[in-house]
Amino acid sequence: MFDALKLKNTLLDDYSKLKHLGGWQAVADLYGVGKTMVWRIANTDYIPKDQTIRKKLGLPVSAQVFPVMGEILNGSAAPASRICPHCGNFFIPNAGKRRKCYVCVPYRDRKLDLL
Ligand SMILES: [Zn+2]
């Protein structure tokens, strides 16, 4: 999240420097990604999901997570995380409809001892 915000500001800085030397295409060439991609990251809240593009832009391709129940084995793959609108913590949803974290809305009514 914070890496994405830093990238957004970096891209806007790059654009202001390269505005007269090709604009967004010049910025895109700098990172080796598409023009639309850099514009979209800089001007919207979009964060690229593709690992190849994330590497090119310097975004992390792995993250440290902590289990709230059970075990998460080292190197486990997970879909994208979300931000809980209630408390602001990051979490990985167990289902597509889940919008709040496991602390705010416990999984199957189990109370969690954390945070
Ligand atoms: Zn929450």
Side-chain angles (χ1 to χ4, degrees):
M1 185 67 189
F2 300 109
D3 295 313
L5 186 62
K6 193 174 157 190
L7 174 64
K8 187 175 188 165
N9 290 330
T10 304
L11 291 176
L12 288 169
D13 284 349
D14 290 342
Y15 177 73
S16 64
K17 288 174 196 162
L18 298 169
K19 201 185 296 184
H20 302 294
L21 298 168
W24 287 112
Q25 185 60 57
V27 177
D29 293 344
L30 201 64
Y31 294 95
V33 296
K35 179 172 82 172
T36 310
M37 176 66 70
V38 287
W39 179 90
R40 194 172 172 198
I41 296 165
N43 294 293
T44 69
D45 289 335
Y46 180 74
I47 300 168
K49 294 163 196 71
D50 187 291
Q51 300 298 309
T52 312
I53 293 169
R54 290 180 65 89
K55 278 183 196 165
K56 286 179 179 177
L57 294 168
L59 289 171
V61 292
S62 64
Q64 191 172 18
V65 296
F66 65 93
V68 292
M69 67 176 75
E71 183 183 21
I72 298 174
L73 296 174
N74 204 12
S76 296
S81 61
R82 289 191 180 140
I83 300 172
C84 176
H86 190 74
C87 67
N89 287 324
F90 299 105
F91 70 101
I92 298 169
N94 63 327
K97 284 184 173 181
R98 180 177 272 280
R99 294 287 176 257
K100 291 182 181 172
C101 73
Y102 301 97
V103 177
C104 296
V105 180
Y107 181 66
R108 291 185 183 166
D109 298 326
R110 290 186 208 175
K111 295 222 172 174
L112 301 171
D113 270 349
L114 58 118
L115 306 175

